[in-house]
Amino acid sequence: MELEALCCPHARAWEKDMSQKNRIIQTYGLWFLDMLCIFLSYNIATQIRFAGTNDWGSKTLHYLVMIVFLLFCTVYSYFVDWNRDVLRRGLFREFLAVLKFNTIMLVISLVFVFFAGWSNILSRIVILHFAWINLVLMYAVHILFRRMMRNMLNNELYATKILIVTQRAMTDETIERLHSQLDASYQIVGSLSVDDLNESDLAGITEKMTQIAFDEVFINTPDYTPKQIAPMIDGFERMGVVCHYNLELPDGGGAASAPGTFGDYAVMTYTRFRSSYKRLLIKRVVDIVGAAVGLVITAVVTVFLAPAIRLDSPGPVFFSQIRVGKNGRRFRIYKFRSMYLDAEERKKELEQQNEVKGLMFKMEEDPRVTRVGRFIRKTSLDELPQFWNILKGDMSLVGTRPPTEEEFEHYDEHYRRRLSMTPGLTGMWQVSGRSNIEDFDEVVKLDLKYIDNWSLTLDFKILLQTVGVVLFHKGAK
């Protein structure tokens, strides 16, 4: 049975309880923005009151009042978590929530200031201006943040794609039940019925799913024994996707397992991901900052490199190609063009001269590369436009190499697992002497080593090693 016939698209999603990943973004994002609003509002109020004068009393104590406001914001947000339902509040409820927060903050903080003996230097005009400015600013920021979060949750790139494996009679019920319980960041991309599969199909069906873009799978097969379903779970584990199994508890091999809930189903979840979403959020912030700096450098380099590329050979300055990203997502990668325009057609003629065993193509003296192309490849300047991919979120500064669609068509579950993290501009195999690697399986081994041992420290270590690789051309292709 063809896999396409088993899968059907579903794209409906409701806003319910936030997933862990989006909860972290919401909690820490709004906390930071609220702190920024307090800081800006207090300084604006100060400028309104004291502009052009030096009648500030003790300036130190004056700004210590702002520190009290900031401390209150941190403590109140942590213990009360007043922003937990920000996406479900309407405009009027949001205004009331912001008003309540500001009222409690002013009352408690000013009581503290009074008993601390700072009230004699406290400007009432500053507090009055701060009260209305912070109320307006914080409300506006919350509305913009709500809009940004909703856009992000509906973005194809950030959505968590769910594949449902169940029995035919339970398909509609399972889909509807998950729709009613999962938040808007989850997108059901297909369903698979196990009723028409024999025992060998159950064990090998995951091999036919490597080309489908999905991040997690939910298995709801109460009439099948754990022993029957265990090979399927092993296959998903090899692919590197998160697997939620309803009710039964089979052995998950090398994947970490934990009991919990998925929607309102009691499940055992199997996953190889052993880090926290907080660290992934930090990784994303570093990517955005790095991409911004990288794009500035790219703009400067383009001024000098664009004429050289155009004069060296006819064609565009930039090269773009569809690549396969995290868990099978397609995206368009950008580079400075380093080859002649007929490079893809000529590749077929050169297949017999491939110097890498497996699914990668590489030639030391590739005749398709232009003179300028050899220089920018040796110096890695051809990779600079990928900072745009990093800013968009298609790629990360550090990750695994994104394969072409042609390569991806030949992936099995083992190879597919190297796509369980966002691909990167650089990675472990690039800093391990990429010119000396002659077997694609060695690339996969290094990529999986990176995924299984990922940490922020490892990312920074690879970034530092990449600088050495670029400066000394070690392993450059």
Side-chain angles (χ1 to χ4, degrees):
M1 184 177 295
E2 295 295 328
L3 182 63
E4 289 77 12
L6 297 173
C7 293
C8 56
H10 299 277
R12 177 185 169 200
W14 295 3
E15 288 182 9
K16 294 293 180 182
D17 292 334
M18 296 290 288
S19 65
Q20 181 187 8
K21 176 176 63 177
N22 296 315
R23 163 71 67 181
I24 290 170
I25 295 174
Q26 176 180 302
T27 300
Y28 287 90
L30 272 180
W31 169 75
F32 173 79
L33 291 173
D34 288 344
M35 298 276 281
L36 184 61
C37 288
I38 291 172
F39 176 83
L40 292 174
S41 298
Y42 196 84
N43 279 277
I44 292 172
T46 298
Q47 290 301 315
I48 293 175
R49 169 62 180 87
F50 295 113
T53 72
N54 292 315
D55 185 24
W56 288 37
S58 172
K59 293 183 181 180
T60 301
L61 290 179
H62 175 80
Y63 281 110
L64 278 177
V65 175
M66 180 183 69
I67 300 300
V68 173
F69 290 148
L70 294 173
L71 288 174
F72 172 86
C73 178
T74 300
V75 173
Y76 189 81
S77 297
Y78 179 80
F79 286 103
V80 178
D81 194 17
W82 70 287
N83 286 319
R84 63 186 177 278
D85 58 348
V86 65
L87 292 183
R88 294 197 294 269
R89 297 195 292 243
L91 295 179
F92 182 67
R93 284 185 61 204
E94 187 62 39
F95 176 78
L96 292 180
V98 173
L99 178 62
K100 177 181 177 181
F101 169 81
N102 278 271
T103 301
I104 296 174
M105 177 180 66
L106 285 170
V107 171
I108 293 179
S109 298
L110 292 180
V111 168
F112 175 85
V113 168
F114 175 79
F115 283 105
W118 299 348
S119 55
N120 61 315
I121 57 88
L122 186 63
S123 170
R124 294 177 179 82
I125 296 179
V126 169
I127 297 302
L128 287 173
H129 281 305
F130 168 77
W132 74 263
I133 293 173
N134 195 57
L135 177 64
V136 173
L137 182 60
M138 190 175 288
Y139 178 65
V141 167
H142 276 225
I143 297 302
L144 292 174
F145 182 85
R146 281 154 43 98
R147 183 173 301 176
M148 182 204 73
M149 280 293 294
R150 286 195 172 115
N151 289 339
M152 188 188 78
L153 293 177
N154 292 323
N155 190 304
E156 184 78 7
L157 182 64
Y158 295 105
T160 300
K161 297 177 179 292
I162 303 295
L163 178 67
I164 295 175
V165 178
T166 187
Q167 296 162 230
R168 187 184 302 106
M170 303 179 63
T171 300
D172 291 340
E173 175 192 350
T174 302
I175 291 174
E176 289 301 317
R177 189 168 165 183
L178 290 177
H179 276 154
S180 68
Q181 294 297 323
L182 298 178
D183 71 64
S185 65
Y186 286 98
Q187 183 184 84
I188 298 176
V189 296
S191 62
L192 168 67
S193 172
V194 298
D195 292 334
D196 298 326
L197 302 179
N198 56 38
E199 188 171 338
S200 61
D201 287 334
L202 282 174
I205 191 64
T206 55
E207 294 181 4
K208 302 177 181 179
M209 297 183 182
T210 56
Q211 303 300 304
I212 301 174
F214 67 103
D215 305 294
E216 301 182 9
V217 61
F218 175 67
I219 302 176
N220 183 26
T221 53
D223 294 337
Y224 288 75
T225 66
K227 185 177 180 180
Q228 289 175 296
I229 300 299
M232 182 184 293
I233 293 178
D234 290 338
F236 287 124
E237 178 196 339
R238 289 192 296 272
M239 292 172 66
V241 299
V242 177
C243 183
H244 305 284
Y245 180 77
N246 186 28
L247 297 178
E248 303 295 344
L249 310 175
D251 182 16
S257 60
T261 59
F262 188 73
D264 61 353
Y265 287 96
V267 299
M268 177 65 75
T269 296
Y270 301 93
T271 178
R272 285 182 175 268
F273 181 71
R274 290 175 168 84
S275 190
S276 71
Y277 287 113
K278 292 180 183 179
R279 293 185 178 90
L280 286 178
L281 180 59
I282 296 173
K283 178 180 174 71
R284 180 60 186 145
V285 171
V286 172
D287 284 343
I288 292 173
V289 174
V293 175
L295 286 173
V296 173
I297 297 174
T298 303
V300 175
V301 171
T302 302
V303 173
F304 301 95
L305 203 54
I309 293 174
R310 293 295 297 271
L311 290 172
D312 185 39
S313 64
V317 172
F318 297 99
F319 166 79
S320 69
Q321 184 184 49
I322 299 298
R323 293 290 183 97
V324 182
K326 183 178 179 182
N327 287 329
R329 290 168 171 79
R330 269 66 172 180
F331 71 95
R332 185 169 293 277
I333 197 173
Y334 297 94
K335 295 185 176 185
F336 283 119
R337 183 173 61 85
S338 61
M339 291 186 172
Y340 295 103
L341 291 179
D342 60 349
E344 286 301 314
E345 290 76 11
R346 295 174 63 185
K347 179 181 176 182
K348 298 178 181 178
E349 305 170 4
L350 302 170
E351 289 287 355
Q352 298 300 319
Q353 302 180 52
N354 186 9
E355 298 172 4
V356 177
K357 178 183 177 182
L359 301 182
M360 284 178 61
F361 179 85
K362 175 181 167 296
M363 286 182 62
E364 187 68 30
E365 298 296 332
D366 194 330
R368 302 173 301 158
V369 180
T370 65
R371 289 174 298 173
V372 172
R374 292 190 181 92
F375 170 75
I376 63 176
R377 284 184 162 214
K378 187 175 181 180
T379 56
S380 297
L381 292 175
D382 62 320
E383 311 280 358
L384 289 179
Q386 291 174 45
F387 282 116
W388 175 244
N389 292 115
I390 295 172
L391 187 65
K392 289 170 57 184
D394 299 322
M395 296 177 62
S396 177
L397 288 174
V398 183
T400 60
R401 172 186 171 272
T404 64
E405 288 189 299
E406 182 181 0
E407 293 173 14
F408 185 63
E409 289 175 358
H410 301 285
Y411 272 23
D412 57 17
E413 300 110 308
H414 176 67
Y415 290 164
R416 162 69 187 256
R417 192 163 79 85
R418 65 188 296 269
L419 298 177
S420 59
M421 284 192 73
T422 303
L425 178 65
T426 185
M428 188 169 285
W429 76 275
Q430 286 95 329
V431 300
S432 300
R434 61 185 185 229
S435 285
N436 301 321
I437 294 178
E438 299 178 350
D439 192 333
F440 177 67
D441 283 340
E442 183 65 22
V443 174
V444 175
K445 180 180 178 181
L446 289 171
D447 282 341
L448 296 185
K449 181 180 178 182
Y450 168 76
I451 293 171
D452 291 338
N453 297 279
W454 177 79
S455 68
L456 292 171
T457 301
L458 179 60
D459 270 9
F460 286 118
K461 180 180 178 181
I462 291 175
L463 285 173
L464 289 176
Q465 290 177 323
T466 301
V467 174
V469 168
V470 172
L471 290 178
F472 299 104
H473 314 313
K474 179 182 177 182
K477 52 185 176 180

